Amino acid sequence: MRVTVRLFARLRDIAGASELPREVASGATIRTVWTQMAGEFPGFAAYERSMSSALNADYARMDAEVHDGDEIAFLPPVSGG
């Protein structure tokens, strides 16, 4: 099944894109998608413990199951002023 991954702040910079399509197996979770992304972009690992995730624009836990057509967002902490 196909999902869309949206990336923000530093994750977007590391990946070089703000949105990426991904193919995942049935029964995949947000964590499954994150693991796939971290394998492709090793710089993501530094953000695993501090980032938030969302599923279809609602904050969600990493164990939430994803479905065909879903949008997953990964949001690292941001600083600024």
Side-chain angles (χ1 to χ4, degrees):
M1 68 183 165
R2 182 175 285 257
V3 298
T4 300
V5 178
R6 305 237 11 231
L7 302 169
F8 295 89
R10 185 70 183 125
L11 297 178
R12 178 186 58 226
D13 296 341
I14 293 168
S18 60
E19 188 173 293
L20 298 167
R22 286 292 177 263
E23 293 290 332
V24 295
S26 180
T29 63
I30 293 174
R31 182 172 308 286
T32 305
V33 177
W34 172 258
T35 301
Q36 182 182 18
M37 299 295 296
E40 187 174 342
F41 303 104
F44 280 24
Y47 297 93
E48 185 167 355
R49 293 185 182 262
S50 60
M51 59 136 200
S52 298
S53 58
L55 180 60
N56 298 322
D58 290 321
Y59 283 103
R61 294 181 181 263
M62 293 292 275
D63 61 356
E65 190 172 330
V66 300
H67 300 94
D68 190 48
D70 280 352
E71 180 181 272
I72 298 115
F74 294 114
L75 307 106
V78 237
S79 63

